[in-house]
Amino acid sequence: MRNHHRFAVVTGASSGIGVAYAERMAERGYDLILIARRRDRLEDVAKRITTKATRAVEIVTADLADAKDLSRIEALITEREDIDVLINNAGLGALGPTSQVTADALENLIKINILALTRLTHAALPGFLRRNSGTIINIASMIAVMPTPSGAGYSGSKAYVLNFTRSLQMELAKTSIIIQAVLPGPVRTEFFEASGLAAAPFPNELFMSAEQLVDTALQALDQGELVCFPSLENASLWTGFEDARIALSRALMQSGRPATRYLEKAQ
């Protein structure tokens, strides 16, 4: 990722991973557009960043689950020609057994984790394609490849983020636009508290700080690693997973007939 003294947009920028990305992008020489619901938090983040670096920091309050607010942010991204980086970090958990999570909470999760991420990416792409440059970082989760009985909506939404990002990588392979998916494990943020859990369902030693996560993900980006599992020591496990997926995909395209095992049972 090269610095052209242009803007990086960070959603969910008032806490945790979003703050860490904002700080690191400022250190890399980017001016910032920080988006979140809580203006007081955004002002604190902006003040902290501008005292450390001579960077322009614009703050925009918006609830990305609100259609009008989302449209406003889409217009901002579409109209500006000085945006080089979009970091889709805003996300919700709505954790717990699906029967015990409210339908409204699940809908809100889908609006933030899927709809907002998709629409903001879509808003950024025309400008990036015109300039044949730009970077989009989508924050998924390791749970994207780990279905769980206590986070069906969350797992499903992050599987969408992974597949959406991987498909965009294929679409844009012949351009200079970079799309990265980051799939963290547990991170020390307000995430579990905001999801309504009294305590995180993981031992403390599995947690990474937001700063460690962002530093790792940006190092991966610099190295050309477009699907980043920050805590995965053995990278061959991911390549093996991908090889198995490709083999399955090829096997699924061999025939349009029912598999033999179903025909045998029907006889």
Side-chain angles (χ1 to χ4, degrees):
M1 182 166 35
R2 294 175 295 175
N3 164 30
H4 300 293
H5 296 286
R6 291 163 75 85
F7 279 84
V9 176
V10 185
T11 68
S14 63
S15 64
I17 296 169
V19 172
Y21 263 114
E23 292 175 342
R24 295 301 188 261
M25 297 308 291
E27 290 169 6
R28 288 179 173 231
Y30 285 87
D31 295 323
L32 300 170
I33 300 173
L34 305 182
I35 300 167
R37 290 179 296 110
R38 297 172 290 190
R39 186 172 187 85
D40 57 338
R41 291 263 193 118
L42 286 175
E43 289 174 345
D44 289 343
V45 173
K47 182 178 181 180
R48 188 159 70 247
I49 289 171
T50 54
T51 58
K52 293 180 181 178
T54 309
R55 304 268 35 108
V57 181
E58 300 178 20
I59 61 174
V60 183
T61 55
D63 179 356
L64 296 181
D66 180 88
K68 290 183 179 178
D69 279 5
L70 180 56
S71 293
R72 180 163 49 87
I73 302 304
E74 286 180 73
L76 180 153
I77 292 172
T78 300
E79 292 165 3
R80 294 185 60 149
E81 293 290 333
D82 55 359
I83 293 172
D84 266 3
V85 181
L86 169 62
I87 301 171
N88 282 310
N89 165 70
L92 297 176
L95 302 179
T98 303
S99 61
Q100 296 178 23
V101 177
T102 67
D104 286 345
L106 290 171
E107 181 179 350
N108 215 41
L109 175 149
I110 291 167
K111 287 178 178 178
I112 296 291
N113 295 11
I114 295 178
L115 183 61
L117 178 143
T118 303
R119 293 189 69 101
L120 296 186
T121 298
H122 189 268
L125 283 176
F128 286 6
L129 286 166
R130 280 196 303 274
R131 299 186 292 274
N132 193 31
S133 68
T135 300
I136 299 174
I137 300 172
N138 289 331
I139 306 303
S141 167
M142 68 177 188
I143 204 171
V145 295
M146 297 169 56
T148 169
S150 60
Y154 183 62
S155 177
S157 72
K158 294 304 184 179
Y160 173 91
V161 173
L162 175 60
N163 282 325
F164 179 68
T165 304
R166 296 286 280 134
S167 295
L168 284 178
Q169 290 168 357
M170 295 174 190
E171 288 181 23
L172 301 169
K174 294 183 179 180
T175 75
S176 296
I177 300 168
I178 298 169
I179 316 285
Q180 185 193 40
V182 180
L183 295 91
V187 182
R188 292 188 185 92
T189 67
E190 300 170 2
F191 175 78
F192 291 107
E193 179 183 343
S195 296
L197 298 183
F202 301 102
N204 188 60
E205 60 268 20
L206 291 184
F207 279 78
M208 189 178 288
S209 71
E211 292 76 17
Q212 285 176 309
L213 165 66
V214 171
D215 287 340
T216 302
L218 289 175
Q219 179 65 27
L221 188 67
D222 292 342
Q223 295 173 184
E225 191 173 312
L226 299 184
V227 177
C228 173
F229 291 85
S231 61
L232 180 63
E233 185 64 33
N234 184 355
S236 68
L237 292 173
W238 166 246
T239 56
F241 184 98
E242 275 288 274
D243 289 344
R245 181 192 61 77
I246 292 168
L248 174 61
S249 298
R250 288 173 178 166
L252 292 171
M253 299 298 291
Q254 295 302 306
S255 168
R257 299 185 303 273
T260 304
R261 66 185 178 278
Y262 304 123
L263 296 176
E264 290 173 347
K265 290 182 179 179
Q267 293 174 357

